[in-house]
Amino acid sequence: MNADHGVIVGYPVSRAGSHELVLGEGARLRSGTVLYDGSRIGPGLQTGHGVVIREENEIGADVSVWSNTVVDYGCRIGDRVKIHANCYIAQFTVLEDDVFLAPGVTIANDLYPGDERSAKLMSGPHIEAGAQIGVNVTILPFVRIGAGAIIGSGSVVTRDVPPGFVAYGNPAVPHRKVSELPGIEGRVAALRGQS
């Protein structure tokens, strides 16, 4: 493990039944990172500055969590997931292998915050393998985003998105298949007024 000054590995938790932190080899932890006891994290974790990973998480190999991001407790995160800066991953969220979250993604898990009945049923969204979530997207509880889907920046995802679709808006709706997206070079040229 390569850890900067100011990193806390194995922050104690009061939750009954929590075990010690299991941290795989080759972690690179930057200053301000706090890893709670009670999680299992695979090899190759990289964190930015000011990252908090709470207890009872199952995190795969080669995961990156960048600066000022919080992964709350009870999440399931696959291999090679990239979580960019300033994200909040709510309790009980599932991120499958190769998911990408751009900066500022906020994930919710409580339909009626402050209502005890709702608190007993909390569930974060389930984001399937290879989905890409754009900048400042908000994803509401119980939503399932299909494998390989792309969610456009600034969207609010309130309903399921099918695998392989591009969805955007508030509320986000599927607009076309990822396979139908124009080429990157053409899109850049159009944005620069060269079309």
Side-chain angles (χ1 to χ4, degrees), residues 161-182:
V161 175
F165 269 80
V166 177
Y168 54 87
N170 182 1
V173 295
H175 287 273
R176 66 171 86 172
K177 291 183 178 179
V178 171
S179 60
E180 298 169 351
L181 285 173

Side-chain angles (χ1 to χ4, degrees), residues 52-126:
V52 175
I53 298 177
R54 294 280 309 269
E55 69 273 19
E56 298 178 16
N57 290 303
E58 295 286 337
I59 299 175
D62 300 314
V63 171
S64 300
V65 183
W66 294 124
S67 297
N68 304 312
T69 288
V70 174
V71 177
D72 224 322
Y73 65 84
C75 296
R76 301 293 172 262
I77 298 174
D79 296 336
R80 300 171 304 280
V81 170
K82 304 218 178 309
I83 303 172
H84 223 292
N86 301 309
C87 294
Y88 175 71
I89 314 304
Q91 300 98 320
F92 315 122
T93 294
V94 175
L95 305 177
E96 292 185 6
D97 294 349
D98 302 303
V99 164
F100 175 82
L101 304 184
V105 170
T106 300
I107 293 177
N109 65 353
D110 193 346
L111 289 172
Y112 300 105
D115 185 316
E116 289 181 23
R117 296 167 299 166
S118 181
K120 292 177 184 174
L121 300 172
M122 283 194 299
S123 178
H126 187 125

